[in-house]
Amino acid sequence: MAETAAAAVLLPLAGRRNVLVTSALPYVNNVPHLGNLVGCVLSADAYARYCRLRGHNVLFVCGTDEYGTATEARALQEGCSPREVCDRFHALHREVYRWFGIRFDHFGRTSSQQQTEICQGVFRRLLDNGWLSEKTIQQLYCGSCERFLADRLVEGSCPVEGCGHDSARGDQCERCGELLNSIELIDPKCKVCGSAPCVRDTDHLFLELPLLKEKLEGYIDGASGDGSWSHNAVHVTNAWLKPRCITRDLKWGVPVPHDKYKDKVFYVWFDAPIGYISITACYTPEWEKWWKNPENVELYQFMGKDNVPFHTVMFPATLLGTGENWTLLKAISVTEYLTYESGKFSKAKGIGVFGNDTKDTNIPPEVWRYYLLTNRPEESQFWKLYKQDPPGCATVMKTSVGLVYLLACLLEPFMPSFSKEVLQQLNLCPDEHLSFCDEKGDRDKAKRPWDLIPSGHRIGKPAPLFKGLDDNTVKGFKEKFAGSQTERRLRAEVAAQ
């Protein structure tokens, strides 16, 4: 259920595998749709449940992402406060996840005092360590509203060649997924009043990712080198190593603790990932045992592909820049967009099947879970990847072969000769390789299919494992084995005469 799952507080345990699971924090300005569910919370829930069955010590945290432009814009639209918007939709999110059987250990929210304290503390460390800079940038200003327009308060046509989507936001185009700067939009309009904004100068603070490049690349190489990051995740990460603005001209957010910028708040993608930490702090005052314990805690994160760079670049760079011993991302699970009527699900436009709609169908939640997880949109058409993305193709093929090996092991007690044949086709000796051992030395291999087959391994010659039965063959067997043995013998004797 979408609340604390047990009375006892979970903390890392000595001698156990401690797994910290998070899913991308769903934004609170609308009800989650099925794309949100399968891309983050449902996938994370399935993995957390699997880890618990394996006997691991698991903490699964999530919560609503509540600060930023979208909430402020919704509040302006509805004539209420951002806090009222967040309170209403947090309750709706929690109810949807409870109905789907999502078993969080804690489901919190980012608009907490813990979020403010931890976020501002991280900022001060970055400032003291010299990883922040001040820059004057150009930003759209609405004369009618008398305010600088944050990214999501602007809408226009996408400037990306071949796209031209006429409802692109100031931070990202929903159609092509390209990250944008609001002043790049073609024919921009203020979403509050509809006026055409002008361009003005304004000062902001930036995280100097290029200065953190050595630290970040050292972490990325170590974290992604074992194949637990997809090639796509690594590629997107490398493209992001440039200064990133971390402040915004808004009221609803974590205040910037700096005299010059006291009227600004932190950019939601600076403070939102810190929400994983603050939500854990709301769960237990001993949160540092999870988040400052990389030697004993493994962090697994689940999200849609548009969230990747914020978790593989912004978040780890922010933590690395503090100089403290943070628990950093070990593995990332990323999904493609779930489609609806040949298009993309969209909370902003109300397109798709939403979480509260599913109850009205009278279809049990387990059916929805099964359908969504079996149709989870996956980075794996190897016949296309072979030409377009060779490293990605290699990852898919190696993982697929590893999964075949695991299935052969699982089926051996039931179909021993079948398992032997599978391993022979994989060019593996059954007597040496058939094992499902979970002793300490093999524990990691038991959970990672891509590590079960050595790099460079050549499989044997594939051949069909079973022969299909056509209708004529089935009809022949029915005739041949109809009746008792005595009747069949008499029929055979008659036929032989």
Side-chain angles (χ1 to χ4, degrees):
M1 60 184 186
E3 297 176 5
T4 301
V9 173
L10 293 165
L11 294 174
L13 299 173
R16 294 278 297 279
R17 185 176 166 207
N18 300 294
V19 180
L20 178 57
V21 179
T22 75
S23 61
L25 304 180
Y27 206 73
V28 78
N29 69 321
N30 209 329
V31 178
H33 56 60
L34 298 188
N36 303 135
L37 277 157
V38 71
C40 51
V41 295
L42 183 56
S43 296
D45 179 64
Y47 181 73
R49 287 174 180 274
Y50 165 77
C51 286
R52 294 186 191 108
L53 288 174
R54 295 269 295 167
H56 306 324
N57 185 40
V58 181
L59 180 67
F60 177 23
V61 296
C62 189
T64 43
D65 178 8
E66 303 192 352
Y67 285 137
T69 317
T71 301
E72 193 171 286
R74 179 110 191 191
L76 284 170
Q77 177 186 338
E78 297 185 2
C80 63
S81 70
R83 171 62 67 185
E84 290 175 306
V85 171
C86 292
D87 288 346
R88 183 168 83 254
F89 281 106
H90 175 79
L92 287 172
H93 274 255
R94 188 170 57 185
E95 180 57 33
V96 167
Y97 303 140
R98 181 186 289 114
W99 188 83
F100 271 92
I102 309 296
R103 185 187 168 191
F104 302 116
D105 292 299
H106 188 71
F107 184 75
R109 52 201 307 188
T110 60
S111 60
S112 66
Q113 183 60 32
Q114 289 90 334
Q115 173 76 353
T116 298
E117 292 172 359
I118 295 173
C119 193
Q120 290 182 342
V122 168
F123 167 77
R124 291 189 181 97
R125 292 300 298 266
L126 292 171
L127 188 65
D128 292 343
N129 292 344
W131 301 122
L132 301 180
S133 64
E134 299 181 71
K135 298 181 190 294
T136 300
I137 65 172
Q138 290 186 320
Q139 193 170 334
L140 295 177
Y141 182 87
C142 180
S144 298
C145 297
E146 296 185 333
R147 61 186 292 180
F148 282 101
L149 297 178
D151 300 332
R152 294 200 178 195
L153 289 180
V154 186
E155 194 170 83
S157 297
C158 178
V160 175
E161 185 177 354
C163 180
H165 181 45
D166 61 4
S167 299
R169 301 193 309 255
D171 60 344
Q172 190 174 32
C173 176
E174 278 201 336
R175 175 179 291 172
C176 69
E178 187 74 15
L179 296 171
L180 304 173
N181 187 317
S182 60
I183 63 171
E184 299 172 341
L185 291 175
I186 300 170
D187 192 25
K189 293 289 188 297
C190 171
K191 290 187 69 174
V192 178
C193 69
S195 299
C198 61
V199 177
R200 285 191 182 181
D201 289 344
T202 181
D203 293 335
H204 281 284
L205 287 165
F206 283 71
L207 178 63
E208 285 292 337
L209 291 176
L211 298 180
L212 285 160
K213 181 179 180 180
E214 187 175 343
K215 287 178 178 287
L216 190 60
E217 287 186 335
Y219 156 68
I220 291 172
D221 290 343
S224 62
D226 65 354
S228 57
W229 287 25
S230 68
H231 174 71
N232 183 49
V234 176
H235 175 73
V236 171
T237 296
N238 291 335
W240 255 63
L241 293 177
K242 58 184 179 180
R244 294 286 170 178
C245 187
I246 64 167
T247 53
R248 287 293 186 270
D249 291 293
L250 290 172
K251 299 297 182 185
W252 180 242
V254 175
V256 179
H258 189 292
D259 289 341
K260 183 177 177 180
Y261 299 96
K262 61 184 179 182
D263 293 330
K264 300 182 190 287
V265 300
F266 287 117
Y267 176 40
V268 68
W269 274 116
F270 174 78
D271 87 270
I274 296 174
Y276 301 121
I277 302 171
S278 71
I279 288 169
T280 309
C282 292
Y283 170 69
T284 172
E286 297 183 272
W287 61 269
E288 291 188 352
K289 291 184 177 180
W290 284 105
W291 283 101
K292 292 187 178 180
N293 190 4
E295 294 81 11
N296 299 304
V297 174
E298 300 173 13
L299 173 60
Y300 289 77
Q301 298 193 293
F302 293 77
M303 66 202 67
K305 69 175 183 179
D306 52 341
N307 292 335
V308 169
F310 303 107
H311 290 79
T312 61
V313 180
M314 283 287 287
F315 188 35
T318 297
L319 298 183
L320 287 167
T322 67
E324 297 175 308
N325 194 33
W326 292 96
T327 301
L328 299 177
L329 173 65
K330 176 181 174 62
I332 179 172
S333 175
V334 181
T335 61
E336 294 289 330
Y337 297 126
L338 187 68
T339 57
Y340 179 76
E341 294 184 343
S342 301
K344 198 178 127 186
F345 276 75
S346 173
K347 283 201 303 181
K349 297 181 179 180
I351 297 173
V353 179
F354 287 74
N356 54 350
D357 297 330
T358 56
K359 288 192 286 187
D360 298 334
T361 65
N362 292 320
I363 299 173
E366 293 303 316
V367 175
W368 284 105
R369 287 178 65 104
Y370 176 81
Y371 174 81
L372 289 170
L373 289 170
T374 54
N375 289 278
R376 189 174 184 260
E378 307 287 352
E379 288 154 4
S380 55
Q381 295 173 305
F382 67 88
W383 54 92
K384 292 183 180 179
L385 291 175
Y386 182 74
K387 294 182 178 180
Q388 300 172 0
D389 181 9
C393 182
T395 299
V396 169
M397 294 303 294
K398 190 177 181 185
T399 302
S400 299
V401 173
L403 288 171
V404 172
Y405 168 84
L406 284 176
L407 290 171
C409 292
L410 286 168
L411 289 170
E412 195 276 342
F414 307 95
M415 306 164 68
S417 61
F418 164 82
S419 295
K420 182 177 180 180
E421 176 62 24
V422 170
L423 263 66
Q424 287 175 341
Q425 291 193 24
L426 292 179
N427 198 22
L428 296 171
C429 177
D431 294 335
E432 296 178 6
H433 290 88
L434 189 61
S435 173
F436 211 51
C437 181
D438 191 27
E439 294 179 0
K440 186 174 182 180
D442 294 323
R443 185 170 296 168
D444 285 342
K445 289 187 177 182
K447 66 182 175 62
R448 298 198 313 221
W450 51 85
D451 279 344
L452 295 170
I453 308 298
S455 296
H457 178 78
R458 297 182 66 89
I459 64 172
K461 184 178 180 180
L465 293 165
F466 298 103
K467 182 180 179 181
L469 298 177
D470 57 32
D471 291 343
N472 289 333
T473 303
V474 173
K475 181 180 179 182
F477 283 146
K478 285 183 175 180
E479 293 174 352
K480 181 177 180 179
F481 297 110
S484 66
Q485 287 183 320
T486 301
E487 291 171 330
R488 292 199 294 270
R489 188 177 65 250
L490 290 174
R491 285 200 303 267
E493 291 174 354
V494 171
Q497 292 176 357

